[in-house]
Amino acid sequence: MDRLIVTGGARLSGRVRAAGSKNAVLPIMAAALLADGEVVLRNVPDLRDVATLALILEQLGVVIHRDGDVLRLRADREGPCEAPYDLVSTMRASVCVLGPLVARRGHAQVSMPGGCVFGVRPVDQHLKGLNALGAGIRVEGGYLLSDVGRRLHGAHVFVGTRFGPSVLATANTLMAAVLAEGTTRLENAAMEPEVLELTDALIAMGARIHGRGGHTLEIEGVACLHGAEITIGGDRIEAGTFLVGGAMTGGDVTVDGIDPGHLTALRETLGAMGAKVTSGSDWMRAEGPARLEATDIATLPFPGFPTDLQAQVMTAMSVARGISVVTERIFPDRFMHVAELLRLGALIRKEGPQAIVEGAARLSGATVMASDLRASAALVLAGLVAEGETEIRRVYHIDRGYERIDARIRDLGGQVRREAQPRLEQSRKQW
Ligand code: EPZ
């Protein structure tokens, strides 16, 4: 397992291009299971999660060719229908092969994804949506099983909990509904940009979906979908991570290849903290002051503040002037980064779904452990403002969702190097 060594003190400055969006490309890859014909995806990021889902799809009989950032996928109507535990358990998003499998093949055997480092990750809303369409999914031996053996039917379904929408449950239900007989009215649909990208990809494949980008989607089922060529949009969360890095190091970072409309909540937050944020049609720029000011955030469904940028902004708060309050309303346990930030000298007190962050004059380097991929990226940012060296272990978490993060941070003037796991640890493991 690699580790990253970050040396503090540099300002991040310069331009970087956002890679293709991880959370858009994953469900769209799964959607290829629905099409009679080749689906060509462009601007596909080079991520572990993409490789993992490709492995799962190949086990489902999908023929996949990768050529640089182009992925070609072709899936027959017949084929294997089992997505195994050893792969699904490493990446929760693989649960979104469930809807396409049931819709196109009438059968599915998909391992339940299990939890992750920030708590229980239920799939009840996925089952509610798919079973409303007649999927007849049952849970047995840790697997989600369906042997419906016939075409699904349209339904009127409210997907997502009473506390808010579910991104992947929306994706799963939407992908199943496009091939169902009749019309489906999907209420409480998630409005995240990644769901809109999936909607547009399905429309390009011949699906009939009305209300794109809204909370209510009307889907007229069709008998089959055809192939299509789709370009994946820039990753708003990766972009936001670099922008936070620029703002908190007193730097000046511009990220190209994104839709600034996807980052309005971050723009408001960084502006409230004293950064100067400007943007154009496909770029956003953050110029940091000598020291940021404290502010408060609460994570919410889009267009509210994204939970996937919570750890990164908390890291910026940990060296800002004043006291900030972070409220996590999507995943109340998503605070794995707090313990690691404390090791760097941050002054943070967790109170249930809230964290109180008192801005420290400085952080000091230490060895820390990566956990969920966004928390891990936040530790890289923390290392940039900590005195001395910060060693981040279990870097594979970061590689799941960030393309060559060390090289890209170096391109912006940050001091980061990647090293293989120390020999001592290897010998201990052999013993
Ligand atoms: C997607 O996860 C993203 N993952 C997450 O990004 C992101 O944090 C999350 O949406 C919220 O925006 C991908 O797109 C691959 P949810 P998802 O269902 O769909 C509850 C990253 O770092 N819920 O929108 O799994 C759930 O517990 C990842 O890139 C149920 O109760 O999240 C949470 O409280 C991390 N039952 C809320 O809904 C369900 O069946 C929203 O979760 C499903 C969800």
Side-chain angles (χ1 to χ4, degrees):
M1 281 185 276
D2 289 353
R3 58 182 180 163
L4 292 182
I5 313 292
V6 187
T7 304
R11 287 195 168 90
L12 291 192
S13 287
R15 289 189 92 107
V16 65
R17 184 165 193 79
S21 164
K22 169 179 86 77
N23 290 352
V25 74
L26 294 175
I28 293 172
M29 284 170 70
L33 280 163
L34 296 165
D36 288 329
E38 185 178 61
V39 174
V40 181
L41 305 183
R42 302 185 186 289
N43 196 33
V44 175
D46 180 16
L47 302 173
R48 286 173 66 101
D49 276 7
V50 170
T52 301
L53 186 56
L55 273 178
I56 291 170
L57 291 172
E58 283 180 332
Q59 299 216 5
L60 298 173
V62 180
V63 178
I64 304 182
H65 296 290
R66 174 147 204 169
D67 178 12
D69 73 349
V70 178
L71 210 55
R72 296 172 179 279
L73 307 98
R74 183 183 290 276
D76 293 333
R77 183 173 289 274
E78 301 302 325
C81 292
E82 181 183 352
Y85 175 76
D86 62 337
L87 284 173
V88 172
S89 60
T90 66
M91 187 188 66
R92 170 184 169 75
S94 21
V95 71
C96 56
V97 301
L98 184 60
L101 278 176
V102 179
R104 181 118 183 275
R105 296 182 176 169
H107 299 276
Q109 192 176 341
V110 177
S111 167
M112 287 186 74
C116 67
V117 284
F118 47 83
V120 176
R121 301 289 295 277
V123 291
D124 57 310
Q125 298 305 317
H126 297 245
L127 303 187
K128 181 169 85 170
L130 295 175
N131 286 341
L133 299 173
I137 296 171
R138 62 191 189 283
V139 180
E140 248 173 59
Y143 275 76
L144 302 167
L145 304 174
S146 169
D147 295 302
V148 66
R150 65 179 180 285
R151 193 176 178 190
L152 298 176
H153 57 70
H156 179 177
V157 59
F158 180 99
V159 175
T161 67
R162 59 189 179 287
F163 305 109
S166 161
V167 173
L168 288 182
T170 300
N172 243 334
T173 308
L174 173 60
M175 287 191 281
V178 297
L179 288 184
E181 179 140 31
T183 299
T184 295
R185 185 175 172 78
L186 204 173
E187 294 203 34
N188 193 37
M191 288 175 58
E192 269 63 13
E194 294 77 22
V195 174
L196 178 54
E197 279 204 58
L198 171 65
T199 303
D200 288 343
L202 291 168
I203 291 170
M205 293 156 70
R208 292 197 194 126
I209 305 170
H210 310 283
R212 62 186 284 279
H215 273 314
T216 301
L217 299 175
E218 197 97 12
I219 304 110
E220 291 171 50
V222 293
C224 64
L225 295 186
H226 50 71
E229 294 211 7
I230 294 145
T231 298
I232 304 299
D235 192 314
R236 64 188 171 111
I237 303 301
E238 183 201 57
T241 304
F242 290 126
L243 292 167
V244 171
M248 66 186 275
T249 57
D252 178 356
V253 168
T254 299
V255 181
D256 292 306
I258 52 161
D259 177 346
H262 294 168
L263 285 169
T264 47
L266 179 69
R267 177 191 198 125
E268 285 299 301
T269 303
L270 293 179
M273 297 178 81
K276 182 184 172 199
V277 184
T278 50
S279 61
S281 58
D282 66 348
W283 58 268
M284 187 174 271
R285 178 180 179 183
E287 298 168 77
R291 188 178 184 191
L292 290 170
E293 299 295 329
T295 190
D296 299 338
I297 58 168
T299 63
L300 288 165
F302 187 85
F305 189 90
T307 175
D308 292 346
L309 285 173
Q310 179 256 102
Q312 299 89 317
V313 166
M314 183 190 288
T315 301
M317 291 166 166
S318 66
V319 289
R321 185 180 293 109
I323 294 178
S324 303
V325 179
V326 174
T327 306
E328 178 52 70
R329 293 219 174 97
I330 306 292
F331 298 110
D333 297 328
R334 193 173 194 171
F335 290 109
M336 291 297 292
H337 42 291
V338 171
E340 302 308 309
L341 290 172
L342 292 176
R343 288 179 51 74
L344 299 173
L347 305 169
I348 304 171
R349 196 176 75 245
K350 188 174 168 313
E351 299 275 340
Q354 286 192 316
I356 319 298
V357 186
E358 182 184 345
R362 62 180 187 79
L363 299 182
S364 54
T367 299
V368 290
M369 199 70 80
S371 53
D372 99 64
L373 75 97
R374 307 305 176 184
S376 313
L379 293 177
V380 176
L381 300 184
L384 293 171
V385 295
E387 283 180 1
E389 286 198 342
T390 294
E391 177 183 325
I392 301 164
R393 295 190 177 168
R394 296 187 183 169
V395 169
Y396 61 87
H397 285 292
I398 304 180
D399 295 335
R400 285 189 49 196
Y402 289 85
E403 203 178 79
R404 299 177 298 108
I405 193 167
D406 42 328
R408 313 255 309 283
I409 294 270
R410 280 197 300 273
D411 291 347
L412 291 171
Q415 295 185 59
V416 188
R417 68 178 188 276
R418 184 185 287 255
E419 290 182 357
Q421 175 178 321
R423 188 172 304 284
L424 172 64
E425 279 202 7
Q426 281 168 346
S427 63
R428 186 186 305 138
K429 209 168 70 175
Q430 283 151 13
W431 181 77

